[in-house]
Amino acid sequence: MFSTSTREQAVLALAKQRPLLRARNLATHGLPTMVLSRLVAAGQLERVARGVHSLPGRPLSEHRSLAEVALRVPQGIVCLLSALRVHEIGTQAPFEVWIAIPRNSPTPRLDQPALRAIRMSGPALSEGVEPMQIDGVSVPIFNAAKTITDCFKFRHKIGLDVALEALRDGWAQRKVTIDALWHYATIDRVSNVMRPYLESVTT
C-alpha cells in the first residue's frame, strides 16, 4: 500500500508530465482521486476547471481553453473562429471556444470556458481533422482549408466578412491551396457560394 505522502508525490510527478491533469489520469495509475483535493488545499495543485488541475503558476499556452474543452468534450472538434485563431488566420479573437459536435449529441454545458457548439454530420464532421498537441493534450482541430470553407458554410452565424477575410489571409499566407479549398467546399456543399471568391483570390 502507498502511504499518503507517496501518493501525493506520485500525483505531483504526474502533474509535471501533464500540464493539465484529470482524475482519470490518477485512476490509470491506481491513485485515489481524493489526493487531488488534499494537494489543492495544500497549495501544491490548483484547480483550473472542473475536474482539471495543474501545478500552480505553470506557464500554459494561450490556447489552454481548447485543451480544457478537449478533455471535457471529447467528441468536439475545434472549428470556425477558434480554429482560425489557432491557425493564425484573420483577426478574430473569440471569447468562446467554437466546437463542432455530432448532430444528435446533447449540447455540452461547461461553467468555464464558454462554448459555442456547431452541429455537423458525415464527412463535414470527420474530414479535415488534424489533432494538435496543446499543453500535453491531443486537441482535434479542423485544418486551415476546412476551417475557411466552414466559415462560408456558416457565414450566417459568423458573417460573410469574416469568411472573406479568412480566405484572403489564408491564401496570402499560403496556408491553403485551391485544390484543398475546393475539396472541402464540395464536402460542405458551398461550391457555388465560394466559386466567385476563389476566382477573385487566384487572379
Side-chain angles (χ1 to χ4, degrees):
M1 294 292 291
F2 291 112
S3 67
T4 299
S5 61
T6 302
R7 288 171 175 169
E8 292 178 355
Q9 290 303 314
V11 171
L12 291 174
L14 274 180
K16 290 178 181 178
Q17 297 170 17
R18 295 174 172 271
L20 296 176
L21 185 67
R22 294 195 76 191
R24 70 176 59 175
N25 303 138
L26 273 66
T28 301
H29 291 80
L31 296 165
T33 56
M34 68 179 70
V35 179
L36 290 172
S37 299
R38 285 203 299 266
L39 289 171
V40 170
Q44 293 182 280
L45 279 182
E46 63 180 3
R47 179 181 177 272
V48 297
R50 182 178 296 173
V52 184
H53 298 77
S54 180
L55 292 172
R58 180 166 192 162
L60 297 170
S61 77
E62 64 170 307
H63 301 305
R64 186 183 77 178
S65 60
L66 305 186
E68 293 176 15
V69 170
L71 287 173
R72 299 168 68 191
V73 188
Q75 77 274 25
I77 302 167
V78 176
C79 68
L80 294 169
L81 303 189
S82 294
L84 287 178
R85 183 74 171 175
V86 172
H87 294 304
E88 299 182 340
I89 294 173
T91 57
Q92 298 301 305
F95 67 91
E96 303 166 302
V97 175
W98 289 67
I99 59 168
I101 59 174
R103 192 169 298 281
N104 297 323
S105 293
T107 301
R109 302 195 180 280
L110 304 183
D111 47 355
Q112 287 291 331
L115 286 185
R116 186 70 179 271
I118 301 295
R119 298 186 184 279
M120 299 184 188
S121 62
L125 182 66
S126 61
E127 291 268 341
V129 181
E130 296 181 354
M132 181 179 295
Q133 287 292 317
I134 298 176
D135 293 332
V137 178
S138 180
V139 180
I141 300 175
F142 285 123
N143 65 32
K146 175 65 161 57
T147 297
I148 291 171
T149 303
D150 285 343
C151 288
F152 282 91
K153 182 178 179 67
F154 295 98
R155 61 194 180 280
H156 299 303
K157 291 184 180 292
I158 66 170
L160 180 59
D161 57 328
V162 174
L164 290 173
E165 179 192 48
L167 174 60
R168 290 166 182 154
D169 193 35
W171 179 257
Q173 293 189 60
R174 299 184 179 181
K175 293 190 173 183
V176 295
T177 65
I178 288 298
D179 287 345
L181 289 167
W182 195 252
H183 171 71
Y184 295 116
T186 303
I187 289 173
D188 276 350
R189 299 178 182 175
V190 289
S191 302
N192 291 336
V193 173
M194 291 187 66
R195 188 190 303 273
Y197 303 115
L198 290 174
E199 291 175 350
S200 70
V201 297
T202 57
T203 56

